[in-house]
Each structure stands twice: as C-alpha cells, then as structure tokens.
Amino acid sequence: MMTIALDAMGGDHGVSVVVPAALQALREMSALRLILVGDQQVMADELKRHGATPDDRLILHHASQVVEMDDLPSQALRGKKDSSMRVAINQVKEGNAQACISAGNTGALMATARFVLKTLPGIDRPAIITALPTIRGHAHMLDLGANVDSSSEHLYQFAIMGSVLTSLVDGVDNPSVGLLNVGEEEIKGNEQVKGAAKLLSRSDINYKGFVEGDDIYKGTVDVVVCDGFIGNVSLKTSEGVAKMISHYMKQAFNRNLLTRLAGLVVLPVLKAFRAKIDPRAYNGASLVGLRGIVIKSHGGADVFAFSQAIREAVLEVNKNVPEKITQRLGELLEERRAV
C-alpha cells in the first residue's frame, strides 16, 4: 500500500479541490492510501459533503496553521511550523508517506521541503521540473523557478536530475538533453551556460548542445535545462500565449451566426486540440533533488488537475526517483574523477 500526504489547505481552492480529487484517486487506485493534512473539522465537513468519511485508506491529520499564498518563505518556515504544508512534508520525513503534494505557495514549499528533507548527496540545490506538450509528445523542463541564479555546476546537476526523471517516468532510454540559450552557436550565452555545456560535453549524458526557445515546443530534445529565472519566465509566457490564443479563437467563432455554425462544425477538432495542450493534464511539478518526493500542484488547479498531480506522485514513488538520481549522480562523479 502506497501512502501519499496531501496539503488539503494549500492553493487557491483548498479542500474544495483536494478532497474530491483525493476521493477520485482512491476510486481509481486500490493500492493507494492518502493522508489529508489540514484543519480537522474543515476536512471532515468537506468529506461529509461528498458523502464520505475517513477510513483506513483516507486518514485525516490535523494541522493548526495554513501557509498563505503571499507568505514569505522565511515566515512560513519559522512562524508556521504546524502548517498543513509542513506537516505534510513531515509525513515523508517520518516515513509515514512516500510522497507529499501541495498546491500552496511555491517559495514556501521549496524552502520548507529543503529544510525538512534536505538535498540528495551531491546535489547543491533542488529544482522544479514538469512536462510540457510538444509537437512530438512532451518534454521535461527545469528549473522552473526554484533557483534564479544558477552556476554551471548547478545546471549540470539539473541536467542529470532531468535526464534520470525523464528516463524513469517516460521510459526513454538515454533521454536527449539541451541547454536553453540565446542561440545554438557555441560562442553565444553567458559564462554559466558555456561552463555547463563543457561539463555536459565531457559526460556520458546524451547532451545535444544549445537549444533556443522555440525548440521547447518543437520537441527538439527530451529535457530542456535552464536556470529558474529563465524557466519561470518561459513557462508563464507560454501560459499567457495559450490564454491569448483561446481568447481570440472564442472571439472569432462568436462573431456572427455564420462563424458560430463554423464553430459547431470544427468543435470536435477544437476539443481534441484543447485536450492536447491542456495545462491541467501536465499538472504536478516535481521538486527534484530532495531526499523525498514532493510534488507542486498549480495553485489554481481544479479537481482534474490535482488528480494529475496525485498520479505524478504515484509514478515517481513507483520508479524510486530520488534513489535513481543518487545512483546516477554517483556514477557520473566517478566518471569525472577518472578523467
């Protein structure tokens, strides 16, 4: 029986999303146990609203505090030691759960998880990684906001972690890796990117060189590596473009009776297109590099999206992602010493 802890109070919607998503996951996965962490009465009331009660597969764990979306990471870490977020992470540290999920404040989640769980041997900084849709399927990208200023060594470590996770969750042998840069030529980029390229070129990672922004969604490589500042800006820009396209498409099809009729004709195609690029289907970013599995759900996630985050956690537990990253990193460090 696999056990996952859920921060029931985190995110924009809290229990109104986490509870129904938890119930759905339990119906779909018979070998899953969930620990809901948060205000005991609030969680119990929400369960009752869905005609459910706690049992041996759905456990309620009380936490007296909540990390707000505008809390500083330092405030959450020092002043909210009994928050639903921290207590959920503690379940992993204490061995009561194999993973935890939160839709709460990203900065607070990273700071708390790093403090409580610590980083894996050989990893200086954890990174945020998630899958993004591409014309060839999907690719993984990291870092998406955990580290806004990364050295060459950090980028090298991100590449290792991204390669291992992609290999495990996607079943890809020797995933291709690219460094996000302002051009493909070797002379372009800052010193950090150039230094990381040298490290990767000397390793047995399947490094393909520099990639540009359009390569992310072309699916040029399986893993796109960058620092958190660039990664987060790229991700948020992509989300904005997707919303803009959706807005103008709706506007175009609602212009008059003729365009509404045209919209009905192409509706199946539009639904298939929306499903392909729906960000909810890719919800569940992993905080890789920690001594435990922590999944960050989008703060505005609905039930479908949060359920995807639970599935991502289950997959990473089944694949033993932290252990495999440690093993791979050890192999590459030995290789570097031998050179």
Side-chain angles (χ1 to χ4, degrees):
M1 184 72 73
M2 180 191 301
T3 304
I4 296 175
L6 307 181
D7 171 9
M9 314 301 290
D12 298 337
H13 308 296
V15 293
S16 65
V17 161
V18 176
V19 167
L23 294 173
Q24 179 179 318
L26 290 173
R27 287 192 295 268
E28 294 175 355
M29 293 173 271
S30 60
L32 178 64
R33 177 190 294 118
L34 297 175
I35 302 174
L36 297 183
V37 182
D39 185 292
Q40 185 95 12
Q41 190 59 56
V42 172
M43 294 187 297
D45 288 345
E46 186 65 22
L47 280 174
K48 185 177 180 181
R49 200 170 72 84
H50 292 273
T53 56
D55 56 31
D56 59 341
R57 293 183 59 214
L58 184 60
I59 301 163
L60 302 188
H61 193 299
H62 182 68
S64 61
Q65 296 173 302
V66 176
V67 174
E68 304 297 340
M69 297 303 279
D70 58 353
D71 281 348
L72 293 174
S74 57
Q75 293 175 328
L77 189 59
R78 298 170 188 166
K80 294 189 174 181
K81 296 181 180 180
D82 195 44
S83 68
S84 56
M85 178 186 289
R86 181 152 181 173
V87 174
I89 296 171
N90 281 337
Q91 298 304 301
V92 178
K93 180 184 179 181
E94 294 165 5
N96 299 323
Q98 287 79 57
C100 73
I101 305 171
S102 175
N105 182 318
T106 303
L109 181 65
M110 177 58 80
T112 304
R114 185 175 181 180
F115 177 79
V116 172
L117 298 176
K118 311 303 186 227
T119 55
L120 292 169
I123 297 296
D124 297 324
R125 298 181 180 181
I128 300 174
I129 182 171
T130 194
L132 298 173
T134 73
I135 60 176
R136 297 184 179 180
H138 65 262
H140 280 88
M141 184 172 175
L142 76 165
D143 175 32
L144 297 178
N147 308 281
V148 296
D149 186 16
S150 303
S151 68
S152 298
E153 181 66 28
H154 295 147
L155 294 173
Y156 172 73
Q157 293 173 12
F158 297 166
I160 295 170
M161 295 189 291
S163 177
V164 172
L165 184 140
T166 300
S167 177
L168 292 171
V169 302
D170 288 346
V172 178
D173 291 331
N174 204 20
S176 56
V177 177
L179 280 171
L180 190 61
N181 199 4
V182 294
E184 296 180 357
E185 298 85 353
E186 291 184 7
I187 62 171
K188 291 190 174 181
N190 57 32
E191 293 305 312
Q192 293 93 321
V193 171
K194 291 178 182 178
K198 292 178 181 178
L199 291 173
L200 289 168
S201 296
R202 294 196 293 263
S203 74
D204 67 355
I205 289 176
N206 187 15
Y207 175 59
K208 297 298 185 181
F210 295 144
V211 294
E212 298 182 73
D214 59 335
D215 289 304
I216 298 172
Y217 296 100
K218 284 161 60 177
T220 304
V221 291
D222 299 311
V223 182
V224 178
V225 178
C226 58
D227 69 39
F229 184 93
I230 294 171
N232 191 265
V233 170
S234 298
L235 181 65
K236 295 302 172 63
T237 301
S238 301
E239 292 176 351
V241 170
K243 290 177 181 177
M244 182 188 69
I245 292 172
S246 176
H247 168 79
Y248 281 124
M249 287 180 68
K250 289 178 181 177
Q251 193 177 68
F253 283 118
N254 287 321
R255 191 179 304 126
N256 53 51
L257 180 59
L258 184 60
T259 57
R260 290 193 188 96
L261 291 173
L264 289 174
V265 173
V266 300
L267 188 59
V269 176
L270 293 176
K271 285 184 176 180
F273 171 72
R274 180 180 178 182
K276 184 68 176 177
I277 65 169
D278 188 352
R280 300 180 307 157
Y282 297 92
N283 185 49
S286 180
L287 276 57
V288 287
L290 296 169
R291 297 175 187 255
I293 295 171
V294 179
I295 303 296
K296 171 66 175 75
S297 168
H298 195 288
D302 60 11
V303 174
F304 172 77
F306 199 90
S307 297
Q308 291 297 113
I310 296 175
R311 294 187 188 96
E312 177 66 24
V314 169
L315 181 59
E316 292 193 22
V317 172
N318 282 329
K319 298 295 184 178
N320 297 316
V321 170
E323 292 85 350
K324 296 296 184 181
I325 289 174
T326 301
Q327 178 183 337
R328 180 65 171 140
L329 186 64
E331 293 170 354
L332 290 170
L333 287 175
E334 285 298 319
E335 175 189 291
R336 286 172 67 180
R337 294 189 190 104
V339 173

